[in-house]
Amino acid sequence: SQQGEEDPQALSIQEGENATMNCSYKTSINNLQWYRQNSGRGLVHLILIRSNEREKHSGRLRVTLDTSKKSSSLLITASRAADTASYFCATTNSGGSNYKLTFGKGTLLTVNP
Amino acid sequence: GAVVSQHPSWVICKSGTSVKIECRSLDFQATTMFWYRQFPKQSLMLMATSNEGSKATYEQGVEKDKFLINHASLTLSTLTVTSAHPEDSSFYICSSLAVSSYNEQFFGPGTRLTVL
């Protein structure tokens, strides 16, 4: 079942601006991951944050996790036109299979040159 | 990251025919692979977990006789859509599980199925 909910569903910004996407989930998790998907293509893993971590960085990406609010955010700084894609969060649930991913509905990010 | 391939990348078939999609883990052995379905502008929905040497585990609401999964080797899983109908038209994506402290899934590029 889909438990992740991303907002906004769509985001349009200008090149150079920062993009923030949020994800909420419903159950306790082991970890939360963010993926990127270009139109009609497969998924690319961006970053994983464990349930005991609060913030993680990777290049221009910054992910935060608030387990008390059951939410996560993905910040892309200094966006580029090439960042245009759909972004999904996905969780693995504690107490269940440590492998199965439950995906959110995704945010479609458009970066205008 | 590890490379996962899918074949074909797209397929168009007539209603009532069966279509086989292959998922290959190219540079690591995967005892577990996953099959997802994605409708246009929607998220990925897990269909089934493919286990090498044993039966696949299907998610609730997914017909096992409709979507046949075979994981005959550590690098290959196949999904066969039997007696395909237009409502089966979708984007099918597989992933291979690399067991480690992160249990990361590596995704294939997807297969676009269109049933006429």
Side-chain angles (χ1 to χ4, degrees), chain B:
Chain B
V3 179
V4 176
S5 69
Q6 279 185 242
H7 178 79
S9 56
W10 59 270
V11 56
I12 301 173
C13 69
K14 293 182 179 179
S15 186
T17 61
S18 295
V19 175
K20 179 187 284 188
I21 302 170
E22 295 184 347
C23 177
R24 292 184 184 273
S25 177
L26 297 183
D27 49 7
F28 72 100
Q29 294 181 333
T31 56
T32 302
M33 293 183 171
F34 300 91
W35 286 96
Y36 297 84
R37 180 167 53 184
Q38 184 180 31
F39 292 108
K41 297 186 179 181
Q42 294 191 25
S43 189
L44 279 73
M45 293 292 294
L46 178 65
M47 298 175 66
T49 303
S50 172
N51 303 296
E52 188 269 337
S54 64
K55 292 182 179 180
T57 304
Y58 290 82
E59 294 300 299
Q60 192 173 8
V62 178
E63 300 176 55
K64 61 180 182 179
D65 295 329
K66 171 78 173 176
F67 300 98
L68 301 179
I69 291 173
N70 188 333
H71 194 155
S73 78
L74 289 171
T75 59
L76 174 64
S77 174
T78 61
L79 168 69
T80 300
V81 183
T82 62
S83 187
H85 290 282
E87 58 264 31
D88 297 324
S89 298
S90 188
F91 194 55
Y92 292 86
I93 304 176
C94 71
S95 70
S96 294
L97 176 67
V99 178
S100 68
S101 59
Y102 288 105
N103 289 329
E104 186 172 352
Q105 291 186 32
F106 295 95
F107 286 82
T111 296
R112 173 76 58 195
L113 170 64
T114 302
V115 185
L116 302 177

Side-chain angles (χ1 to χ4, degrees), chain A residues 4-88:
Chain A
E5 297 279 341
E6 277 97 330
D7 79 273
Q9 292 186 356
L11 178 62
S12 182
I13 59 175
Q14 294 298 122
E15 217 168 16
E17 295 179 339
N18 296 341
T20 300
M21 290 160 271
N22 303 296
C23 166
S24 61
Y25 55 91
K26 296 177 182 175
T27 64
S28 295
I29 62 171
N30 286 322
N31 62 58
L32 184 145
Q33 305 178 53
W34 284 91
Y35 289 86
R36 166 200 168 113
Q37 183 182 35
N38 287 80
S39 179
R41 308 291 289 274
L43 270 71
V44 174
H45 183 262
L46 295 177
I47 197 165
L48 178 150
I49 186 165
R50 295 180 189 271
S51 60
N52 61 354
E53 296 176 311
R54 292 296 165 257
E55 188 171 311
K56 216 165 180 183
H57 296 255
S58 177
R60 292 183 297 113
L61 306 180
R62 173 176 166 251
V63 169
T64 63
L65 179 64
D66 187 334
T67 53
S68 67
K69 295 181 179 179
K70 292 187 168 56
S71 67
S72 173
S73 68
L74 170 68
L75 168 67
I76 303 175
T77 60
S79 65
R80 305 166 182 168
D83 294 329
T84 295
S86 290
Y87 292 84
F88 296 94

